Amino acid sequence: MTTVEPRIHVLSIPTPFPVGPVNVYLLEGEPLTLVDAGPLTDEALEALARGVRDLGHSLADIEQLVITHAHHDHFGLARQVVEQSGATLLSFHQNRPPLEDFETWWAQRVAFVAEFVATEGAPGEALADIEEMRGFQIYASSVPEITPLEDNDEVQMGGANWRAIHTPGHALGHLCFHHPESQLLLSGDHLLRDITSNPVVETPRVGMRRRPRSLIDYKRSLRRIRELEVSKVFPGHGEPVYDHRALVDEILTHHRERGRLIWGLLKAKDRTVYELGLALFGRDLRGVELFLVMSEIIGHLDVLEVERKARRVERDGQATWTAVN
Ligand SMILES: [Zn+2]
């Protein structure tokens, strides 16, 4: 048996977000596959079409589009790609609500985030800023239907058999794709070299009351990826990663230190998540940045709560966190 070495090309697609450009991957071979698509903007669509054309194809030739996770910068153009090519669209089954009914899902998500930051101590002025997230609706649109993937599914992309690996944490329905024979990993935003992947607070799953504990999920997913034999990682942003185990260890150490710092702040006095943010960053935080910081802190508090080192007390819709010794 000969090993098929996948032919992978990276296309750098501009985004209107602070994260900068997103990596879209074109995998040549049967079926001709795009992994992620970029945000829904004219500039991104033009860059995507040009990038595909420079490689000797056209958007109309794309046979399959695979979405790693349901964030605007990755799936925003999915509908345009599918409409122009008739490509099959694959993503994790949990991404059905955001992908197939994006507008409803996004409105619910912003409402959830507004309630989360209010309950966890953000003042009224900061709350108004969360409303700016509502406007992000323009950077994506719903797709007609996805072909749902499960954890460990085999997916044929670019002439090779890849394994889908459910890696929740940065996003609930996040998938990485591993090709064991060539030790390649398409990591989406699960493993990034230059940016800390945020364990974004998630809306509760359908039929569940509690939100997922994103940082706990994320750390578990990192350990799972660490076990894989990987010689090169193709991330959703930035340059490739060659030593994924060292990077995973570095991220886990960073989170451990952060958790310890937050525990120390709580031991000094009870605080809300917002107050912890002020103490950690030493300045007022606003808008999306506020949400991301509060996401990270609640992630650490989830860990401390599970370890019985911290406790959440909610009174009249206001939560305070307290250290348990
Ligand atoms: Zn991203």
Side-chain angles (χ1 to χ4, degrees):
M1 200 182 93
T2 52
T3 306
V4 181
E5 184 79 16
R7 292 198 304 279
I8 303 176
H9 305 276
V10 59
L11 309 175
S12 182
I13 307 297
T15 82
F17 307 115
V19 69
V22 62
N23 292 333
V24 166
Y25 293 98
L26 181 77
L27 281 69
E28 287 185 305
E30 280 293 301
L32 186 66
T33 301
L34 273 185
V35 175
D36 288 338
L40 177 54
T41 65
D42 292 344
E43 298 76 39
L45 181 56
E46 198 188 302
L48 183 65
R50 194 185 330 116
V52 170
R53 206 163 48 233
D54 289 348
L55 292 164
H57 306 278
S58 84
L59 269 188
D61 301 337
I62 303 298
E63 294 170 297
Q64 181 171 261
L65 172 61
V66 177
I67 297 295
T68 58
H69 63 295
H71 286 173
H72 304 62
D73 48 338
H74 297 262
F75 88 95
L77 278 172
R79 181 175 172 165
Q80 276 62 23
V81 172
V82 168
E83 279 178 357
Q84 289 196 29
S85 62
T88 313
L89 175 58
L90 281 69
S91 196
F92 194 58
H93 67 91
Q94 285 175 342
N95 294 332
R96 274 204 134 123
L99 294 180
E100 294 179 358
D101 190 3
F102 170 68
E103 292 74 14
T104 307
W105 180 81
W106 186 246
Q108 286 170 350
R109 177 131 182 75
V110 176
F112 174 79
V113 167
E115 195 190 318
F116 160 71
V117 299
T119 312
E120 301 295 337
E125 317 87 83
L127 252 172
D129 295 2
I130 293 296
E131 287 297 311
E132 88 184 35
M133 285 176 69
R134 218 173 274 284
F136 289 5
Q137 185 171 305
I138 60 169
Y139 299 121
S141 60
S142 300
V143 299
E145 198 181 7
I146 69 166
T147 301
L149 292 174
E150 302 288 332
D151 184 31
N152 278 322
D153 271 358
E154 270 199 3
V155 185
Q156 177 87 15
M157 303 193 281
N161 260 329
W162 296 72
R163 188 166 298 281
I165 301 167
H166 184 215
T167 40
H170 173 65
L172 187 63
H174 193 290
L175 287 178
C176 290
F177 294 90
H178 185 224
H179 186 245
E181 289 82 0
S182 58
Q183 302 192 348
L184 300 180
L185 183 77
L186 292 155
S187 70
D189 282 0
H190 179 54
L191 195 60
L192 302 172
R193 201 190 62 181
D194 307 319
I195 311 161
T196 315
S197 186
N198 194 287
V200 178
V201 159
E202 287 282 351
T203 325
R205 289 184 186 88
V206 179
M208 289 205 176
R209 277 180 50 232
R210 202 191 190 291
R211 63 176 171 77
R213 291 183 164 108
S214 300
L215 183 58
I216 293 178
D217 288 345
Y218 181 60
K219 285 162 63 170
R220 193 183 301 123
S221 298
L222 278 179
R223 292 195 184 95
R224 189 170 173 203
I225 289 298
R226 194 187 188 287
E227 294 306 305
L228 301 174
E229 294 301 328
V230 176
S231 57
K232 185 173 181 181
V233 179
F234 296 90
H237 303 271
E239 297 296 313
V241 175
Y242 293 95
D243 189 349
H244 80 300
R245 286 188 180 133
L247 181 57
V248 166
D249 291 344
E250 203 179 292
I251 296 169
L252 290 173
T253 302
H254 163 81
H255 283 309
R256 208 172 303 123
E257 285 168 1
R258 258 302 165 81
R260 223 172 271 150
L261 197 59
I262 288 170
W263 192 43
L265 287 168
L266 277 191
K267 282 207 280 193
K269 66 171 180 155
D270 293 355
R271 296 175 208 246
T272 65
V273 173
Y274 180 78
E275 287 165 347
L276 285 167
L278 287 184
L280 271 181
F281 288 83
R283 62 187 169 85
D284 204 4
L285 299 159
R286 282 300 164 84
V288 179
E289 190 191 20
L290 170 71
F291 169 61
L292 292 176
V293 165
M294 288 181 74
S295 273
E296 193 200 326
I297 292 170
I298 200 87
H300 290 295
L301 293 170
D302 286 344
V303 175
L304 292 170
E305 194 177 34
V306 167
E307 291 174 345
R308 298 181 195 283
K309 287 180 175 167
R311 201 174 55 226
R312 181 178 186 273
V313 182
E314 188 175 328
R315 237 176 254 121
D316 303 324
Q318 280 296 310
T320 309
W321 289 79
T322 184
V324 181
N325 285 301

